[in-house]
Amino acid sequence: MADQAFVTLATNDNYAKGAMVLGRSLRNHKTSRKLVVMIGPHVSNPSRTVLQHIFDEVKLVDLLDSRDATHLAMLKRPDLGVTFTKLHCWTLTQFTKCVFMDADTMVLANVDELFDREELSAAPDPGWPDCFNSGVFVFRPSNETHGQLLTYCTEHGSFDGGDQGVLNGFFSDWATADISKHLPFIYNLSSIAIYSYLPAFKQYGANAKVVHFLGQTKPWSYTYDTKGKRLMGDVQDPCMHPTYLLMWWEIYSTAVLPMLFKEFGDQPFHSGCVAVENGDGKAAGLHHNVPSISSEERKQMWEQGQADYMGIDCFDNIQKKLDSFLK
Ligand code: UDP
Ligand code: GLC
Ligand code: MN
């Protein structure tokens, strides 16, 4: 099975945490396939080292960005232009067949049977089920297809500003041509679907094999109390099911964080964890809970369209900075 691989993508240290948990979850469920992570140049060296411990191959790729502000605004995700980078997975021609999985997915069971499917197999998108969701898909690496996809981007762009718009345009007969290319929803269960059709989740949710933390809020956006093993603050976000979030954090805090601490040493990074004493909300032993990148690196990322629009580079913070100059 050396010619088949699970592939993911992380262009920064936050998504790298997601990739680490995904990789660990695949290993925990004893996949027989190779694990590959594509990374962008902004992933820090300590994160790369941890990825190397978990994945068989860490491949540095060029960032591709749609820079399509209009469509991305419609999607309410200005940060997703860079998901065009995902298309580079077709260049992994050392493999004959691969399964791409977003870095915000996690497996709950062995899913090696996905390799029985053909390109392009994927599950329906919960928002528009005649489109497939590009968070999990089966594909065949090919430089020819890669070239055709890039040409498609130049000629047609993406209707959502991200890779999913391109891929649905390119593999446009997915909805109608071949039912075997429709992956069951249990291979890409997004938390959104849980809340929009709760009775179905109650009926079938126990069969889920892959969860997808689709949407703006990601598991690593939360703060986790390692002592109490609970999420802190407001966890009412309807995009997340607490059970799966806790499973993600369990893997992250036990299997990933020790490696991150070791590699980062004294260098600051955002672990997302606190250890709370006495249940009084007083945070004790706050480790490494500061932003992970220097302002020079942030400037570079901003200039390359890689701003953290929803986090540190959000409008409010920019406004505050401008106000501080005007005082
Ligand atoms: N991604 C990345 N860096 C980014 C944004 C996205 O590496 O800044 C990758 C990552 O693998 C992620 C995927 O692209 O899982 C798709 O983005 P996301 O999962 O945030 O989209 P959603 O599933 O929420 O629509
Ligand atoms: C989707 C998919 C994600 C993709 C994004 C942009 O919601 O879940 O994988 O990157 O749209 O097209
Ligand atoms: Mn995703």
Side-chain angles (χ1 to χ4, degrees):
M1 296 308 171
D3 63 342
Q4 299 186 338
F6 285 99
V7 180
T8 189
L9 164 70
T11 66
N12 58 42
D13 277 12
N14 271 335
Y15 280 94
K17 292 178 194 170
M20 289 164 194
V21 170
L22 168 64
R24 286 298 317 205
S25 72
L26 284 160
R27 296 254 184 246
N28 289 347
H29 292 287
K30 309 216 175 330
T31 179
S32 60
R33 291 351 192 247
K34 296 278 182 206
L35 302 189
V36 178
V37 58
M38 301 188 293
I39 57 162
H42 302 299
V43 174
S44 68
N45 285 330
S47 291
R48 290 180 194 205
T49 308
V50 174
L51 288 168
Q52 268 152 7
H53 289 315
I54 300 172
F55 287 79
D56 295 295
E57 198 176 324
V58 179
K59 187 176 160 124
L60 182 65
V61 293
D62 294 332
L63 294 186
L64 269 184
D65 194 324
S66 71
R67 295 182 185 259
D68 182 351
T70 316
H71 286 119
L72 291 166
M74 237 191 278
L75 197 63
K76 298 201 178 69
R77 293 293 301 279
D79 50 325
L80 288 191
V82 75
T83 63
F84 269 27
T85 310
K86 217 189 259 188
L87 304 175
H88 288 328
C89 67
W90 265 271
T91 64
L92 298 168
T93 51
Q94 66 272 43
F95 303 106
T96 55
K97 197 189 274 185
C98 294
V99 174
F100 182 90
M101 301 186 72
D102 267 9
D104 61 343
T105 60
M106 173 178 80
V107 306
L108 307 174
N110 183 294
V111 290
D112 288 357
E113 68 272 18
L114 285 174
F115 290 90
D116 296 341
R117 307 270 177 162
E118 257 316 316
E119 175 173 282
L120 184 290
S121 295
D125 186 85
W128 195 267
D130 276 350
C131 285
F132 58 83
N133 182 273
S134 62
V136 177
F137 60 88
V138 182
F139 69 102
R140 281 194 181 272
S142 145
N143 288 324
E144 196 188 345
T145 312
H146 180 246
Q148 288 168 354
L149 279 164
L150 297 195
T151 307
Y152 187 94
C153 290
T154 328
E155 290 178 357
H156 305 272
S158 163
F159 69 77
D160 71 0
D163 65 293
Q164 183 162 307
V166 173
L167 291 171
N168 274 275
F170 189 81
F171 296 101
S172 61
D173 65 356
W174 173 85
T176 50
D178 181 354
I179 193 67
S180 73
K181 293 185 180 176
H182 286 222
L183 295 181
F185 203 60
I186 53 163
Y187 290 101
N188 187 347
L189 173 69
S190 60
S191 327
I192 289 167
I194 299 173
Y195 293 93
S196 52
Y197 197 6
L198 192 56
F201 175 66
K202 291 211 157 142
Q203 183 73 4
Y204 305 113
N207 304 330
K209 293 193 174 196
V210 179
V211 287
H212 184 180
F213 298 97
L214 185 150
Q216 192 182 311
T217 311
K218 300 300 186 198
W220 53 87
S221 318
Y222 293 87
T223 302
Y224 181 72
D225 165 19
T226 46
K227 276 202 168 160
K229 292 189 180 293
R230 64 189 176 100
L231 294 158
M232 296 181 60
D234 184 13
V235 282
Q236 296 311 307
D237 185 337
C239 291
M240 289 293 166
H241 193 288
T243 310
Y244 298 133
L245 261 178
L246 285 172
M247 286 169 82
W248 189 96
W249 273 98
E250 181 63 19
I251 298 180
Y252 176 73
S253 63
T254 59
V256 171
L257 205 49
M259 287 196 272
L260 283 170
F261 277 141
K262 182 162 170 271
E263 295 308 323
F264 273 88
D266 289 336
Q267 275 177 264
F269 83 101
H270 195 290
S271 74
C273 285
V274 291
V276 177
E277 298 292 358
N278 309 327
D280 60 358
K282 194 170 140 259
L286 255 176
H287 299 295
H288 295 79
N289 222 1
V290 288
S292 57
I293 54 173
S294 68
S295 57
E296 184 50 36
E297 279 171 312
R298 247 175 73 212
K299 179 166 166 261
Q300 273 177 16
M301 289 176 74
W302 174 270
E303 284 167 357
Q304 296 184 8
Q306 278 271 287
D308 181 9
Y309 296 100
M310 304 300 174
I312 198 159
D313 303 318
C314 70
F315 183 80
D316 280 354
N317 284 350
I318 294 168
Q319 188 73 53
K320 271 185 217 151
K321 189 84 183 170
L322 290 174
D323 288 348
S324 75
F325 286 128
L326 293 173
K327 264 184 203 150

